[in-house]
Amino acid sequence: MLPWKRALRPLAALLLTTAVAVVPAATAHAADSAPSTGWNDFSCKPSADHPRPVVLVHGTLGNSVDNWLSLAPYLEARGYCVFSVDYGQLTGVPVFYGLGPIDKSAGQLSAFVDKVLAATGAAKADLVGHSQGGMMPRYYLKFLGGAAKVNALVGLAPDNHGATLSGLTNLLPYFPGASDLIKATTPGLADQIPGSDFLTRLDAGGDTVPGVHYTVIATKYDEVATPWQSQYLSGSDVHNVLLQDLCPLDLTEHVAIGLFDRIAFHEVANALDPAHASATTCASALS
C-alpha cells in the first residue's frame, strides 16, 4: 500500500468516529431486538382520527429500534399505527445502518412502505425521518413513485443539502483520494457530503414534489447537518421550523432532537395532524 493511502485511513476513521460519537449509548441493542408488541405491529389498523400509518426512518449509524425508543411510543400513545424501517446495511456491519448508497436505501424504503400500506389497507403513509432519514425519502418521493403513496414527510434535523460535520468535511480536499476512499467503504457517508453527485441529482429541479406536505424541524445547535439553515427546503408546501423559535430554552443538538426531545415530538404530531395542531412551547416538553 502506498504511504499516502495509509494516511487516508485515519481521516476516514475520523469521519466515521465523529459520526459514531453522536450515536446514543442505546445503540447497543441489535435492530432485530424490536419489541414484539407496540410499533411494527402489522395487524394495526389506522383509526378514523389517524387514517395514515406513520413510517419512521432512522438516521446514519442508527437502526429501526434504537432511533425510535421514545418517538415511536409517543406516537403510539396518540393513536397512530407506527412502523420503522432498517436500510443502508453494509455486509459485515451489524446495528449501524444507513451507510449504503442512498439511492439503494430509498429503494428499501419504497418496498417497506408498500408492505405497510398492504398490511394496513391505507392509501397513503406519513414519513418521519431523522438526519439522513429525513433527507433520503426525498429521493423516494422524487424518483421512485413515492409521491403517490405519501401524504407528508417530516424531517428532524434532516441533512437536506448535505452534512459538513461542523466543517470537518471541508478538510477532505487536503487529503488526495480521501473522498474516493470514503465512497468506496461507506458510500452512504459520501453521498451526504455537500456537492456529491447524489445531492446534485436530488436537488436538481427543486427540493419538493407536488402533492406531499413537507415539514423540517431544525435546531440551531446542530453540529452535524451544518450550517443548520441548509436543512430547510424551498417549495410551495413546506413548513420550516426552528426549535428555538418555539422554545428558546431548548438546547437540543442533532442527535437529541430525534431521540428524546418532546418539544420536537410535539411539532411532529402537529405536522402529522395539522387540523388538530396546538401551539408548541417549552411546556410541550411535559406533554
Side-chain angles (χ1 to χ4, degrees), residues 1-286:
M1 180 182 296
L2 296 176
W4 67 268
K5 287 188 176 180
R6 289 194 206 97
L8 294 180
R9 294 196 178 279
L11 179 62
L14 176 61
L15 286 169
L16 189 57
T17 300
T18 300
V20 172
V22 298
V23 175
T27 310
H29 299 81
D32 60 4
S33 66
S36 58
T37 59
W39 86 90
N40 276 341
D41 175 5
F42 281 86
S43 67
C44 185
K45 299 300 180 184
S47 66
D49 289 337
H50 300 302
R52 292 178 300 275
V54 177
V55 175
L56 305 177
V57 191
H58 64 75
T60 305
L61 296 169
N63 60 59
S64 64
V65 177
D66 300 322
N67 214 140
W68 307 120
L69 292 172
S70 295
L71 182 56
Y74 180 95
L75 294 175
E76 275 191 296
R78 284 154 180 77
Y80 289 93
C81 290
V82 181
F83 302 86
S84 59
V85 60
D86 280 319
Y87 69 87
Q89 301 93 328
L90 292 181
T91 302
V93 181
V95 180
F96 299 104
Y97 300 150
L99 296 172
I102 297 182
D103 57 346
K104 306 301 182 187
S105 295
Q108 292 177 285
L109 173 62
S110 177
F112 189 81
V113 170
D114 285 349
K115 180 181 177 181
V116 168
L117 294 181
T120 60
K124 290 188 175 184
D126 289 326
L127 308 180
V128 179
H130 179 211
S131 192
Q132 181 189 163
M135 172 271 288
M136 175 270 279
R138 291 176 49 219
Y139 190 95
Y140 163 55
L141 299 176
K142 194 169 189 177
F143 298 113
L144 303 180
K149 303 172 184 179
V150 172
N151 169 72
L153 170 60
V154 183
L156 291 160
D159 57 339
N160 278 315
H161 301 105
T164 69
L165 297 175
S166 297
L168 185 61
T169 60
N170 296 331
L171 298 176
L172 288 172
Y174 296 99
F175 295 85
S179 294
D180 292 337
L181 178 62
I182 295 169
K183 186 173 183 178
T185 55
T186 52
L189 295 182
D191 285 344
Q192 294 176 79
I193 296 173
S196 70
D197 290 344
F198 173 82
L199 288 173
T200 298
R201 184 183 181 203
L202 179 62
D203 292 340
D207 290 343
T208 64
V209 296
V212 179
H213 309 292
Y214 295 82
T215 299
V216 173
I217 304 171
T219 170
K220 68 180 181 181
Y221 300 112
D222 202 303
E223 74 282 29
V224 177
T226 51
W228 63 262
Q229 295 90 338
S230 68
Q231 299 172 27
Y232 282 179
L233 296 173
S234 298
S236 59
D237 196 351
V238 173
H239 182 45
N240 293 313
V241 181
L242 181 65
L243 271 184
Q244 285 71 35
D245 287 342
L246 306 175
C247 176
L249 301 177
D250 194 327
L251 302 180
T252 288
E253 46 70 66
H254 184 82
V255 172
I257 194 174
L259 267 70
F260 51 76
D261 190 319
R262 292 178 72 91
I263 297 172
F265 293 177
H266 188 272
E267 195 63 13
V268 169
N270 282 346
L272 295 175
D273 189 7
H276 299 96
S278 59
T280 300
T281 67
C282 294
S284 300
L286 304 176

